[in-house]
Amino acid sequence: MKKILVTGGLGFIGSHTVVELQNEGFEVIIIDNLSNTTIEVLDKITAITNLKPAFYNFDLKDKKSVQDFFKNNKVDGIIHFAASKAVGESVQIPLDYYENNIISLTNILQEMKARAINNLIFSSSCTVYGQADELPITENAPIKPAESPYGNTKKINEEIIADASKAHGIKAISLRYFNPIGAHSSAKIGELPIGVPQNLIPFITQTATGIRQELSVFGSDYPTPDGTAIRDYIHVVDLAKAHIAALNRLLNNQQKNNYEVFNVGTGKGSSVLEVINAFEKVSNTKLNYKIVGRREGDITAAFANTTLANRELGWKAELTLEEALLSAWNWQKRLKN
Ligand code: UD1
C-alpha cells in the first residue's frame, strides 16, 4: 500500500482529496495545524471511508517538526495543500503569507531532497494567469504579475518547485485550480469559511439560509454577455480526483518532464448571474442580491482549456455546476442544524 502525506488534509480541498485517496487504496497521513479548520473533519473523513488517517498536528514552518516527521515516517508521495489562502488578508499581512506559504514548502522540499523522496503535487491556482489575453486559458498562457501576496506565493512556489526539480531531480506536478466549489455527497465535509465568506458560493449558501442578509454581486459592467464576471467553477470532488490522476502519473513514472503543470477546471465559464440562477433552481429558493461596484483586483473572465489534463492525466471533470451547487447547499443546510 502506497503511503501518501497530505498537508492541509483537514482543509476544504485536502479533506475531499483524502477521501478519494482512501477510496483508491492509498494509506494517508495528514499534517494540519488546524489554523483554518477543525479536528472534527478527521472524524467526518473516517465516517465516510471507515478508515482513520494518521494525523499530526504541527506547523510546517517549524523545520524541526518537519525533520522529525520525515525521520519517523516513510512516504511515497506528498500532496501539499497547507497554506494561507485569503486574498484580502494577504494584502493586510503579506509577510505572514510569504513566511507561511513559502517556508512550509521549502521545509518539505529540503526533506524530499535529503531523503530522496519523490512525487510532489502542489496546489496552485489559475490566479497565476491574472487576466489572460486568450480564453480558454492554456498552460502556456503567460504568467502575469500577481494581484496579491497570496497569488504571488503561488507563483513563487511554482518557481521554487521548478528549480528544486531541476537541481535535485524531484518529480513534481503543480495543479492550477480554477474555482473549487461544492461538497462531498454525504454532506459530511465541505467548505468551512471562518467569518464572512469572501468567495461567491459560501456567500450564496449563507445568504440563502439567512446567515447573511444579502449577496453583493461585484460589478455588472464587465465586457461579458450579462455584464457579470465569468469563472470556471469546478466540483471539489472532481478536483480531488485530479490529484489521484496526477499522483498515479508520478508513481507510475508517466511524466514527460520532471516538473509538469496542469490546469484543473471544467473548461466551462459561468457568470455570477448564471451561478445565482442555477443556485435558485437547484435549491428552490429566491436569493436576495443586489448589484454593487466591482471588487478590486477581480478579473473579467477565466476558464480553463483542459485539453492537456484530459490527455495526459486521463482526467476530466464529470460533475455539473448544478450538482456542485446542490452539494454546497446540502452541506450548508447540514451546517446550520
Ligand atoms: C478568489 C481569488 C483567487 C483565489 C480563489 C480561491 C480574488 C480576487 N481572487 O477567486 O486568487 O485563488 O478565490 O478560492 O479574490 N463575487 C460576488 N460576490 C461575492 C463574492 C464573489 O459577486 O460576495 C464574484 C466575484 O467578483 C467573482 C466571482 O464571484 O467574479 C467569484 O469570486 P470568488 O469566489 O471570490 O473567486 P475568485 O475571485 O475568482
Side-chain angles (χ1 to χ4, degrees), residues 85 87-88 125-127 148 150-151 178-180 197-201 203 215-219 222 229-231 233 272 295-299:
K85 62 165 188 181
V87 177
S125 167
C126 68
T127 193
S148 69
Y150 156 79
F178 282 66
N179 289 55
Q198 306 300 308
N199 295 115
L200 179 62
I201 307 314
F203 208 104
L215 167 76
S216 295
V217 173
F218 298 139
Y222 284 104
I230 290 175
R231 297 288 184 275
Y233 297 92
V272 177
R295 179 172 69 179
E296 205 190 333
D298 271 356
I299 53 165

PDB file of all heavy atoms in Angstrom, residues 85 87-88 125-127 148 150-151 178-180 197-201 203 215-219 222 229-231 233 272 295-299, ligand 1:
ATOM      1  N   LYS A  85      -4.815  31.247   2.464  1.00  0.00           N
ATOM      2  CA  LYS A  85      -5.434  31.413   1.143  1.00  0.00           C
ATOM      3  C   LYS A  85      -6.404  32.581   0.987  1.00  0.00           C
ATOM      4  O   LYS A  85      -7.109  32.673  -0.012  1.00  0.00           O
ATOM      5  CB  LYS A  85      -6.145  30.121   0.762  1.00  0.00           C
ATOM      6  CG  LYS A  85      -7.272  29.771   1.723  1.00  0.00           C
ATOM      7  CD  LYS A  85      -8.186  28.706   1.143  1.00  0.00           C
ATOM      8  CE  LYS A  85      -9.395  28.525   2.021  1.00  0.00           C
ATOM      9  NZ  LYS A  85     -10.327  27.515   1.587  1.00  0.00           N
ATOM     10  N   VAL A  87      -7.261  36.084  -0.018  1.00  0.00           N
ATOM     11  CA  VAL A  87      -6.639  37.116  -0.849  1.00  0.00           C
ATOM     12  C   VAL A  87      -6.558  38.455  -0.122  1.00  0.00           C
ATOM     13  O   VAL A  87      -5.497  39.076  -0.042  1.00  0.00           O
ATOM     14  CB  VAL A  87      -7.420  37.279  -2.172  1.00  0.00           C
ATOM     15  CG1 VAL A  87      -6.840  38.395  -3.007  1.00  0.00           C
ATOM     16  CG2 VAL A  87      -7.416  35.972  -2.943  1.00  0.00           C
ATOM     17  N   GLY A  88      -7.697  38.904   0.436  1.00  0.00           N
ATOM     18  CA  GLY A  88      -7.745  40.213   1.097  1.00  0.00           C
ATOM     19  C   GLY A  88      -6.803  40.274   2.288  1.00  0.00           C
ATOM     20  O   GLY A  88      -6.051  41.242   2.470  1.00  0.00           O
ATOM     21  N   SER A 125      -2.816  27.745  -8.474  1.00  0.00           N
ATOM     22  CA  SER A 125      -4.078  28.435  -8.758  1.00  0.00           C
ATOM     23  C   SER A 125      -4.024  29.110 -10.118  1.00  0.00           C
ATOM     24  O   SER A 125      -2.965  29.560 -10.564  1.00  0.00           O
ATOM     25  CB  SER A 125      -4.304  29.493  -7.678  1.00  0.00           C
ATOM     26  OG  SER A 125      -5.326  30.370  -8.054  1.00  0.00           O
ATOM     27  N   CYS A 126      -5.192  29.231 -10.732  1.00  0.00           N
ATOM     28  CA  CYS A 126      -5.292  29.951 -12.004  1.00  0.00           C
ATOM     29  C   CYS A 126      -5.016  31.435 -11.789  1.00  0.00           C
ATOM     30  O   CYS A 126      -4.897  32.191 -12.757  1.00  0.00           O
ATOM     31  CB  CYS A 126      -6.660  29.762 -12.626  1.00  0.00           C
ATOM     32  SG  CYS A 126      -7.973  30.557 -11.691  1.00  0.00           S
ATOM     33  N   THR A 127      -4.901  31.840 -10.535  1.00  0.00           N
ATOM     34  CA  THR A 127      -4.577  33.239 -10.243  1.00  0.00           C
ATOM     35  C   THR A 127      -3.233  33.628 -10.870  1.00  0.00           C
ATOM     36  O   THR A 127      -3.002  34.803 -11.154  1.00  0.00           O
ATOM     37  CB  THR A 127      -4.590  33.481  -8.715  1.00  0.00           C
ATOM     38  OG1 THR A 127      -4.578  34.871  -8.461  1.00  0.00           O
ATOM     39  CG2 THR A 127      -3.420  32.849  -8.001  1.00  0.00           C
ATOM     40  N   SER A 148      -1.966  39.908  -5.714  1.00  0.00           N
ATOM     41  CA  SER A 148      -1.964  39.906  -4.249  1.00  0.00           C
ATOM     42  C   SER A 148      -0.785  39.088  -3.753  1.00  0.00           C
ATOM     43  O   SER A 148      -0.267  38.240  -4.471  1.00  0.00           O
ATOM     44  CB  SER A 148      -3.256  39.263  -3.731  1.00  0.00           C
ATOM     45  OG  SER A 148      -3.255  37.877  -4.019  1.00  0.00           O
ATOM     46  N   TYR A 150      -0.983  36.684  -1.735  1.00  0.00           N
ATOM     47  CA  TYR A 150      -1.417  35.284  -1.832  1.00  0.00           C
ATOM     48  C   TYR A 150      -1.087  34.721  -3.220  1.00  0.00           C
ATOM     49  O   TYR A 150      -0.467  33.671  -3.357  1.00  0.00           O
ATOM     50  CB  TYR A 150      -2.930  35.164  -1.567  1.00  0.00           C
ATOM     51  CG  TYR A 150      -3.538  33.941  -2.183  1.00  0.00           C
ATOM     52  CD1 TYR A 150      -3.396  32.696  -1.579  1.00  0.00           C
ATOM     53  CD2 TYR A 150      -4.216  34.007  -3.408  1.00  0.00           C
ATOM     54  CE1 TYR A 150      -3.919  31.564  -2.175  1.00  0.00           C
ATOM     55  CE2 TYR A 150      -4.736  32.884  -3.999  1.00  0.00           C
ATOM     56  CZ  TYR A 150      -4.590  31.661  -3.383  1.00  0.00           C
ATOM     57  OH  TYR A 150      -5.094  30.535  -3.986  1.00  0.00           O
ATOM     58  N   GLY A 151      -1.517  35.449  -4.245  1.00  0.00           N
ATOM     59  CA  GLY A 151      -1.252  34.997  -5.619  1.00  0.00           C
ATOM     60  C   GLY A 151       0.241  34.890  -5.886  1.00  0.00           C
ATOM     61  O   GLY A 151       0.702  33.967  -6.565  1.00  0.00           O
ATOM     62  N   PHE A 178      -8.967  26.113 -10.966  1.00  0.00           N
ATOM     63  CA  PHE A 178      -9.842  27.249 -11.250  1.00  0.00           C
ATOM     64  C   PHE A 178     -10.684  27.459  -9.969  1.00  0.00           C
ATOM     65  O   PHE A 178     -10.116  27.517  -8.909  1.00  0.00           O
ATOM     66  CB  PHE A 178     -10.560  27.038 -12.589  1.00  0.00           C
ATOM     67  CG  PHE A 178      -9.590  27.366 -13.723  1.00  0.00           C
ATOM     68  CD1 PHE A 178      -8.459  26.577 -13.932  1.00  0.00           C
ATOM     69  CD2 PHE A 178      -9.718  28.525 -14.469  1.00  0.00           C
ATOM     70  CE1 PHE A 178      -7.484  26.925 -14.893  1.00  0.00           C
ATOM     71  CE2 PHE A 178      -8.764  28.877 -15.436  1.00  0.00           C
ATOM     72  CZ  PHE A 178      -7.648  28.074 -15.640  1.00  0.00           C
ATOM     73  N   ASN A 179     -11.984  27.573 -10.020  1.00  0.00           N
ATOM     74  CA  ASN A 179     -12.710  27.905  -8.778  1.00  0.00           C
ATOM     75  C   ASN A 179     -13.358  26.674  -8.146  1.00  0.00           C
ATOM     76  O   ASN A 179     -14.437  26.258  -8.572  1.00  0.00           O
ATOM     77  CB  ASN A 179     -13.765  28.970  -9.063  1.00  0.00           C
ATOM     78  CG  ASN A 179     -13.162  30.328  -9.337  1.00  0.00           C
ATOM     79  OD1 ASN A 179     -12.323  30.470 -10.223  1.00  0.00           O
ATOM     80  ND2 ASN A 179     -13.555  31.325  -8.568  1.00  0.00           N
ATOM     81  N   PRO A 180     -12.744  26.115  -7.114  1.00  0.00           N
ATOM     82  CA  PRO A 180     -13.297  24.911  -6.484  1.00  0.00           C
ATOM     83  C   PRO A 180     -14.529  25.239  -5.639  1.00  0.00           C
ATOM     84  O   PRO A 180     -14.500  26.164  -4.836  1.00  0.00           O
ATOM     85  CB  PRO A 180     -12.164  24.422  -5.565  1.00  0.00           C
ATOM     86  CG  PRO A 180     -10.974  25.247  -5.912  1.00  0.00           C
ATOM     87  CD  PRO A 180     -11.471  26.521  -6.482  1.00  0.00           C
ATOM     88  N   PRO A 197     -17.710  34.993   4.484  1.00  0.00           N
ATOM     89  CA  PRO A 197     -17.058  34.369   3.333  1.00  0.00           C
ATOM     90  C   PRO A 197     -16.646  35.399   2.279  1.00  0.00           C
ATOM     91  O   PRO A 197     -17.379  36.359   2.038  1.00  0.00           O
ATOM     92  CB  PRO A 197     -18.141  33.446   2.751  1.00  0.00           C
ATOM     93  CG  PRO A 197     -19.241  33.402   3.726  1.00  0.00           C
ATOM     94  CD  PRO A 197     -19.113  34.592   4.622  1.00  0.00           C
ATOM     95  N   GLN A 198     -15.489  35.181   1.706  1.00  0.00           N
ATOM     96  CA  GLN A 198     -15.027  36.068   0.631  1.00  0.00           C
ATOM     97  C   GLN A 198     -15.412  35.502  -0.736  1.00  0.00           C
ATOM     98  O   GLN A 198     -15.506  36.230  -1.712  1.00  0.00           O
ATOM     99  CB  GLN A 198     -13.494  36.223   0.683  1.00  0.00           C
ATOM    100  CG  GLN A 198     -12.972  36.688   2.041  1.00  0.00           C
ATOM    101  CD  GLN A 198     -13.539  38.036   2.439  1.00  0.00           C
ATOM    102  OE1 GLN A 198     -13.485  38.998   1.681  1.00  0.00           O
ATOM    103  NE2 GLN A 198     -14.109  38.119   3.627  1.00  0.00           N
ATOM    104  N   ASN A 199     -15.597  34.197  -0.779  1.00  0.00           N
ATOM    105  CA  ASN A 199     -15.856  33.550  -2.069  1.00  0.00           C
ATOM    106  C   ASN A 199     -17.355  33.472  -2.351  1.00  0.00           C
ATOM    107  O   ASN A 199     -18.183  33.487  -1.440  1.00  0.00           O
ATOM    108  CB  ASN A 199     -15.233  32.153  -2.097  1.00  0.00           C
ATOM    109  CG  ASN A 199     -13.707  32.227  -2.024  1.00  0.00           C
ATOM    110  OD1 ASN A 199     -13.108  31.781  -1.062  1.00  0.00           O
ATOM    111  ND2 ASN A 199     -13.087  32.830  -3.011  1.00  0.00           N
ATOM    112  N   LEU A 200     -17.671  33.380  -3.632  1.00  0.00           N
ATOM    113  CA  LEU A 200     -19.065  33.510  -4.069  1.00  0.00           C
ATOM    114  C   LEU A 200     -19.992  32.421  -3.501  1.00  0.00           C
ATOM    115  O   LEU A 200     -21.053  32.747  -2.962  1.00  0.00           O
ATOM    116  CB  LEU A 200     -19.117  33.496  -5.608  1.00  0.00           C
ATOM    117  CG  LEU A 200     -20.507  33.608  -6.231  1.00  0.00           C
ATOM    118  CD1 LEU A 200     -21.176  34.926  -5.855  1.00  0.00           C
ATOM    119  CD2 LEU A 200     -20.426  33.463  -7.755  1.00  0.00           C
ATOM    120  N   ILE A 201     -19.632  31.162  -3.632  1.00  0.00           N
ATOM    121  CA  ILE A 201     -20.596  30.098  -3.305  1.00  0.00           C
ATOM    122  C   ILE A 201     -20.940  30.063  -1.811  1.00  0.00           C
ATOM    123  O   ILE A 201     -22.131  30.024  -1.465  1.00  0.00           O
ATOM    124  CB  ILE A 201     -20.117  28.711  -3.822  1.00  0.00           C
ATOM    125  CG1 ILE A 201     -19.770  28.772  -5.320  1.00  0.00           C
ATOM    126  CG2 ILE A 201     -21.156  27.619  -3.508  1.00  0.00           C
ATOM    127  CD1 ILE A 201     -20.728  29.456  -6.254  1.00  0.00           C
ATOM    128  N   PHE A 203     -20.894  32.473   0.179  1.00  0.00           N
ATOM    129  CA  PHE A 203     -21.714  33.663   0.453  1.00  0.00           C
ATOM    130  C   PHE A 203     -23.147  33.430  -0.021  1.00  0.00           C
ATOM    131  O   PHE A 203     -24.115  33.801   0.656  1.00  0.00           O
ATOM    132  CB  PHE A 203     -21.122  34.933  -0.197  1.00  0.00           C
ATOM    133  CG  PHE A 203     -21.488  36.169   0.572  1.00  0.00           C
ATOM    134  CD1 PHE A 203     -20.565  36.808   1.390  1.00  0.00           C
ATOM    135  CD2 PHE A 203     -22.781  36.675   0.524  1.00  0.00           C
ATOM    136  CE1 PHE A 203     -20.919  37.922   2.138  1.00  0.00           C
ATOM    137  CE2 PHE A 203     -23.149  37.794   1.270  1.00  0.00           C
ATOM    138  CZ  PHE A 203     -22.207  38.416   2.076  1.00  0.00           C
ATOM    139  N   LEU A 215     -26.600  39.119  -0.815  1.00  0.00           N
ATOM    140  CA  LEU A 215     -25.371  38.908  -1.578  1.00  0.00           C
ATOM    141  C   LEU A 215     -25.104  40.153  -2.418  1.00  0.00           C
ATOM    142  O   LEU A 215     -26.016  40.693  -3.041  1.00  0.00           O
ATOM    143  CB  LEU A 215     -25.549  37.699  -2.507  1.00  0.00           C
ATOM    144  CG  LEU A 215     -24.489  37.522  -3.593  1.00  0.00           C
ATOM    145  CD1 LEU A 215     -23.194  36.971  -3.012  1.00  0.00           C
ATOM    146  CD2 LEU A 215     -24.991  36.604  -4.697  1.00  0.00           C
ATOM    147  N   SER A 216     -23.865  40.614  -2.408  1.00  0.00           N
ATOM    148  CA  SER A 216     -23.483  41.691  -3.321  1.00  0.00           C
ATOM    149  C   SER A 216     -22.862  41.076  -4.566  1.00  0.00           C
ATOM    150  O   SER A 216     -21.919  40.290  -4.463  1.00  0.00           O
ATOM    151  CB  SER A 216     -22.446  42.611  -2.665  1.00  0.00           C
ATOM    152  OG  SER A 216     -23.018  43.270  -1.568  1.00  0.00           O
ATOM    153  N   VAL A 217     -23.396  41.424  -5.708  1.00  0.00           N
ATOM    154  CA  VAL A 217     -22.795  40.987  -6.978  1.00  0.00           C
ATOM    155  C   VAL A 217     -21.800  42.071  -7.375  1.00  0.00           C
ATOM    156  O   VAL A 217     -22.181  43.217  -7.619  1.00  0.00           O
ATOM    157  CB  VAL A 217     -23.865  40.791  -8.064  1.00  0.00           C
ATOM    158  CG1 VAL A 217     -23.218  40.509  -9.415  1.00  0.00           C
ATOM    159  CG2 VAL A 217     -24.826  39.676  -7.676  1.00  0.00           C
ATOM    160  N   PHE A 218     -20.533  41.685  -7.414  1.00  0.00           N
ATOM    161  CA  PHE A 218     -19.484  42.678  -7.639  1.00  0.00           C
ATOM    162  C   PHE A 218     -19.321  43.024  -9.124  1.00  0.00           C
ATOM    163  O   PHE A 218     -18.529  42.410  -9.825  1.00  0.00           O
ATOM    164  CB  PHE A 218     -18.148  42.177  -7.077  1.00  0.00           C
ATOM    165  CG  PHE A 218     -18.151  41.948  -5.591  1.00  0.00           C
ATOM    166  CD1 PHE A 218     -17.527  40.831  -5.050  1.00  0.00           C
ATOM    167  CD2 PHE A 218     -18.762  42.844  -4.720  1.00  0.00           C
ATOM    168  CE1 PHE A 218     -17.507  40.622  -3.666  1.00  0.00           C
ATOM    169  CE2 PHE A 218     -18.755  42.633  -3.345  1.00  0.00           C
ATOM    170  CZ  PHE A 218     -18.127  41.517  -2.818  1.00  0.00           C
ATOM    171  N   GLY A 219     -20.073  44.004  -9.575  1.00  0.00           N
ATOM    172  CA  GLY A 219     -19.880  44.523 -10.933  1.00  0.00           C
ATOM    173  C   GLY A 219     -20.828  43.924 -11.945  1.00  0.00           C
ATOM    174  O   GLY A 219     -20.997  42.700 -12.018  1.00  0.00           O
ATOM    175  N   TYR A 222     -18.929  44.412 -16.667  1.00  0.00           N
ATOM    176  CA  TYR A 222     -17.816  43.698 -17.315  1.00  0.00           C
ATOM    177  C   TYR A 222     -18.178  43.425 -18.776  1.00  0.00           C
ATOM    178  O   TYR A 222     -19.363  43.272 -19.104  1.00  0.00           O
ATOM    179  CB  TYR A 222     -17.551  42.368 -16.603  1.00  0.00           C
ATOM    180  CG  TYR A 222     -16.812  42.514 -15.283  1.00  0.00           C
ATOM    181  CD1 TYR A 222     -17.486  42.402 -14.070  1.00  0.00           C
ATOM    182  CD2 TYR A 222     -15.448  42.757 -15.268  1.00  0.00           C
ATOM    183  CE1 TYR A 222     -16.806  42.530 -12.866  1.00  0.00           C
ATOM    184  CE2 TYR A 222     -14.754  42.885 -14.063  1.00  0.00           C
ATOM    185  CZ  TYR A 222     -15.442  42.777 -12.873  1.00  0.00           C
ATOM    186  OH  TYR A 222     -14.771  42.902 -11.687  1.00  0.00           O
ATOM    187  N   ALA A 229     -18.954  38.935 -13.992  1.00  0.00           N
ATOM    188  CA  ALA A 229     -17.674  38.272 -14.266  1.00  0.00           C
ATOM    189  C   ALA A 229     -17.842  36.756 -14.418  1.00  0.00           C
ATOM    190  O   ALA A 229     -18.753  36.161 -13.845  1.00  0.00           O
ATOM    191  CB  ALA A 229     -16.699  38.574 -13.128  1.00  0.00           C
ATOM    192  N   ILE A 230     -16.949  36.193 -15.200  1.00  0.00           N
ATOM    193  CA  ILE A 230     -17.054  34.766 -15.547  1.00  0.00           C
ATOM    194  C   ILE A 230     -15.907  33.965 -14.932  1.00  0.00           C
ATOM    195  O   ILE A 230     -14.751  34.377 -14.979  1.00  0.00           O
ATOM    196  CB  ILE A 230     -17.065  34.613 -17.090  1.00  0.00           C
ATOM    197  CG1 ILE A 230     -18.384  35.165 -17.631  1.00  0.00           C
ATOM    198  CG2 ILE A 230     -16.850  33.156 -17.506  1.00  0.00           C
ATOM    199  CD1 ILE A 230     -18.488  35.180 -19.140  1.00  0.00           C
ATOM    200  N   ARG A 231     -16.263  32.808 -14.328  1.00  0.00           N
ATOM    201  CA  ARG A 231     -15.266  31.910 -13.744  1.00  0.00           C
ATOM    202  C   ARG A 231     -15.604  30.478 -14.137  1.00  0.00           C
ATOM    203  O   ARG A 231     -16.723  30.155 -14.517  1.00  0.00           O
ATOM    204  CB  ARG A 231     -15.286  32.003 -12.207  1.00  0.00           C
ATOM    205  CG  ARG A 231     -14.929  33.360 -11.636  1.00  0.00           C
ATOM    206  CD  ARG A 231     -13.448  33.691 -11.763  1.00  0.00           C
ATOM    207  NE  ARG A 231     -13.145  34.962 -11.114  1.00  0.00           N
ATOM    208  CZ  ARG A 231     -13.281  36.161 -11.699  1.00  0.00           C
ATOM    209  NH1 ARG A 231     -13.728  36.254 -12.951  1.00  0.00           N
ATOM    210  NH2 ARG A 231     -12.964  37.257 -11.031  1.00  0.00           N
ATOM    211  N   TYR A 233     -16.143  27.157 -12.461  1.00  0.00           N
ATOM    212  CA  TYR A 233     -16.408  26.550 -11.153  1.00  0.00           C
ATOM    213  C   TYR A 233     -16.323  25.038 -11.264  1.00  0.00           C
ATOM    214  O   TYR A 233     -17.071  24.431 -12.023  1.00  0.00           O
ATOM    215  CB  TYR A 233     -17.788  26.974 -10.645  1.00  0.00           C
ATOM    216  CG  TYR A 233     -17.871  28.473 -10.418  1.00  0.00           C
ATOM    217  CD1 TYR A 233     -18.330  29.341 -11.430  1.00  0.00           C
ATOM    218  CD2 TYR A 233     -17.460  29.031  -9.218  1.00  0.00           C
ATOM    219  CE1 TYR A 233     -18.376  30.712 -11.240  1.00  0.00           C
ATOM    220  CE2 TYR A 233     -17.511  30.411  -9.012  1.00  0.00           C
ATOM    221  CZ  TYR A 233     -17.967  31.235 -10.029  1.00  0.00           C
ATOM    222  OH  TYR A 233     -18.013  32.595  -9.836  1.00  0.00           O
ATOM    223  N   VAL A 272     -21.551  35.356 -12.799  1.00  0.00           N
ATOM    224  CA  VAL A 272     -22.110  35.403 -11.440  1.00  0.00           C
ATOM    225  C   VAL A 272     -23.637  35.252 -11.504  1.00  0.00           C
ATOM    226  O   VAL A 272     -24.225  34.491 -10.720  1.00  0.00           O
ATOM    227  CB  VAL A 272     -21.715  36.710 -10.718  1.00  0.00           C
ATOM    228  CG1 VAL A 272     -22.355  36.782  -9.337  1.00  0.00           C
ATOM    229  CG2 VAL A 272     -20.198  36.830 -10.597  1.00  0.00           C
ATOM    230  N   ARG A 295     -15.234  44.490  -7.393  1.00  0.00           N
ATOM    231  CA  ARG A 295     -14.290  44.264  -6.292  1.00  0.00           C
ATOM    232  C   ARG A 295     -12.878  44.467  -6.844  1.00  0.00           C
ATOM    233  O   ARG A 295     -12.545  43.949  -7.908  1.00  0.00           O
ATOM    234  CB  ARG A 295     -14.468  42.847  -5.764  1.00  0.00           C
ATOM    235  CG  ARG A 295     -13.523  42.485  -4.635  1.00  0.00           C
ATOM    236  CD  ARG A 295     -13.876  41.140  -4.022  1.00  0.00           C
ATOM    237  NE  ARG A 295     -13.617  40.020  -4.914  1.00  0.00           N
ATOM    238  CZ  ARG A 295     -13.829  38.753  -4.594  1.00  0.00           C
ATOM    239  NH1 ARG A 295     -14.334  38.435  -3.415  1.00  0.00           N
ATOM    240  NH2 ARG A 295     -13.570  37.783  -5.457  1.00  0.00           N
ATOM    241  N   GLU A 296     -12.091  45.201  -6.064  1.00  0.00           N
ATOM    242  CA  GLU A 296     -10.733  45.498  -6.522  1.00  0.00           C
ATOM    243  C   GLU A 296      -9.945  44.214  -6.753  1.00  0.00           C
ATOM    244  O   GLU A 296     -10.030  43.276  -5.947  1.00  0.00           O
ATOM    245  CB  GLU A 296     -10.013  46.346  -5.471  1.00  0.00           C
ATOM    246  CG  GLU A 296      -8.892  47.174  -6.067  1.00  0.00           C
ATOM    247  CD  GLU A 296      -8.028  47.817  -4.992  1.00  0.00           C
ATOM    248  OE1 GLU A 296      -8.536  48.051  -3.887  1.00  0.00           O
ATOM    249  OE2 GLU A 296      -6.850  48.070  -5.283  1.00  0.00           O
ATOM    250  N   GLY A 297      -9.213  44.183  -7.833  1.00  0.00           N
ATOM    251  CA  GLY A 297      -8.362  43.020  -8.102  1.00  0.00           C
ATOM    252  C   GLY A 297      -9.054  41.909  -8.882  1.00  0.00           C
ATOM    253  O   GLY A 297      -8.403  40.956  -9.289  1.00  0.00           O
ATOM    254  N   ASP A 298     -10.382  42.001  -9.052  1.00  0.00           N
ATOM    255  CA  ASP A 298     -11.092  40.955  -9.787  1.00  0.00           C
ATOM    256  C   ASP A 298     -10.828  41.077 -11.287  1.00  0.00           C
ATOM    257  O   ASP A 298     -10.693  42.179 -11.823  1.00  0.00           O
ATOM    258  CB  ASP A 298     -12.604  41.057  -9.544  1.00  0.00           C
ATOM    259  CG  ASP A 298     -13.051  40.262  -8.336  1.00  0.00           C
ATOM    260  OD1 ASP A 298     -12.203  39.570  -7.738  1.00  0.00           O
ATOM    261  OD2 ASP A 298     -14.243  40.334  -7.991  1.00  0.00           O
ATOM    262  N   ILE A 299     -10.793  39.928 -11.938  1.00  0.00           N
ATOM    263  CA  ILE A 299     -10.625  39.921 -13.390  1.00  0.00           C
ATOM    264  C   ILE A 299     -11.977  39.703 -14.054  1.00  0.00           C
ATOM    265  O   ILE A 299     -12.952  39.362 -13.387  1.00  0.00           O
ATOM    266  CB  ILE A 299      -9.645  38.809 -13.815  1.00  0.00           C
ATOM    267  CG1 ILE A 299     -10.087  37.465 -13.230  1.00  0.00           C
ATOM    268  CG2 ILE A 299      -8.227  39.147 -13.393  1.00  0.00           C
ATOM    269  CD1 ILE A 299      -9.419  36.291 -13.876  1.00  0.00           C
TER     270      ILE A 299
HETATM  271  C1  UD1 B   1     -10.576  34.116  -5.495  1.00  0.00           C
HETATM  272  C2  UD1 B   1      -9.230  34.741  -5.552  1.00  0.00           C
HETATM  273  C3  UD1 B   1      -8.275  33.775  -6.188  1.00  0.00           C
HETATM  274  C4  UD1 B   1      -8.227  32.525  -5.351  1.00  0.00           C
HETATM  275  C5  UD1 B   1      -9.614  31.951  -5.175  1.00  0.00           C
HETATM  276  C6  UD1 B   1      -9.533  30.880  -4.131  1.00  0.00           C
HETATM  277  C7  UD1 B   1      -9.646  37.152  -5.670  1.00  0.00           C
HETATM  278  C8  UD1 B   1      -9.508  38.367  -6.498  1.00  0.00           C
HETATM  279  N1  UD1 B   1      -9.288  36.020  -6.266  1.00  0.00           N
HETATM  280  O1  UD1 B   1     -11.007  33.820  -6.827  1.00  0.00           O
HETATM  281  O2  UD1 B   1      -6.991  34.336  -6.259  1.00  0.00           O
HETATM  282  O3  UD1 B   1      -7.397  31.575  -5.964  1.00  0.00           O
HETATM  283  O4  UD1 B   1     -10.527  32.940  -4.727  1.00  0.00           O
HETATM  284  O5  UD1 B   1     -10.784  30.403  -3.824  1.00  0.00           O
HETATM  285  O6  UD1 B   1     -10.071  37.220  -4.553  1.00  0.00           O
HETATM  286  N2  UD1 B   1     -18.412  37.548  -6.195  1.00  0.00           N
HETATM  287  C9  UD1 B   1     -19.524  38.339  -5.977  1.00  0.00           C
HETATM  288  N3  UD1 B   1     -19.966  38.493  -4.699  1.00  0.00           N
HETATM  289  C10 UD1 B   1     -19.347  37.927  -3.627  1.00  0.00           C
HETATM  290  C11 UD1 B   1     -18.201  37.109  -3.848  1.00  0.00           C
HETATM  291  C12 UD1 B   1     -17.764  36.953  -5.149  1.00  0.00           C
HETATM  292  O7  UD1 B   1     -20.101  38.871  -6.917  1.00  0.00           O
HETATM  293  O8  UD1 B   1     -19.786  38.135  -2.483  1.00  0.00           O
HETATM  294  C13 UD1 B   1     -17.933  37.352  -7.584  1.00  0.00           C
HETATM  295  C14 UD1 B   1     -16.511  37.811  -7.809  1.00  0.00           C
HETATM  296  O9  UD1 B   1     -16.479  39.149  -8.163  1.00  0.00           O
HETATM  297  C15 UD1 B   1     -16.079  36.862  -8.915  1.00  0.00           C
HETATM  298  C16 UD1 B   1     -16.859  35.580  -8.650  1.00  0.00           C
HETATM  299  O10 UD1 B   1     -17.947  35.968  -7.823  1.00  0.00           O
HETATM  300  O11 UD1 B   1     -16.458  37.358 -10.158  1.00  0.00           O
HETATM  301  C17 UD1 B   1     -16.053  34.530  -7.948  1.00  0.00           C
HETATM  302  O12 UD1 B   1     -15.453  35.097  -6.807  1.00  0.00           O
HETATM  303  P1  UD1 B   1     -14.664  34.226  -5.727  1.00  0.00           P
HETATM  304  O13 UD1 B   1     -15.464  33.049  -5.329  1.00  0.00           O
HETATM  305  O14 UD1 B   1     -14.181  35.149  -4.659  1.00  0.00           O
HETATM  306  O15 UD1 B   1     -13.420  33.655  -6.552  1.00  0.00           O
HETATM  307  P2  UD1 B   1     -12.301  34.443  -7.395  1.00  0.00           P
HETATM  308  O16 UD1 B   1     -12.321  35.878  -7.111  1.00  0.00           O
HETATM  309  O17 UD1 B   1     -12.443  34.020  -8.805  1.00  0.00           O
END
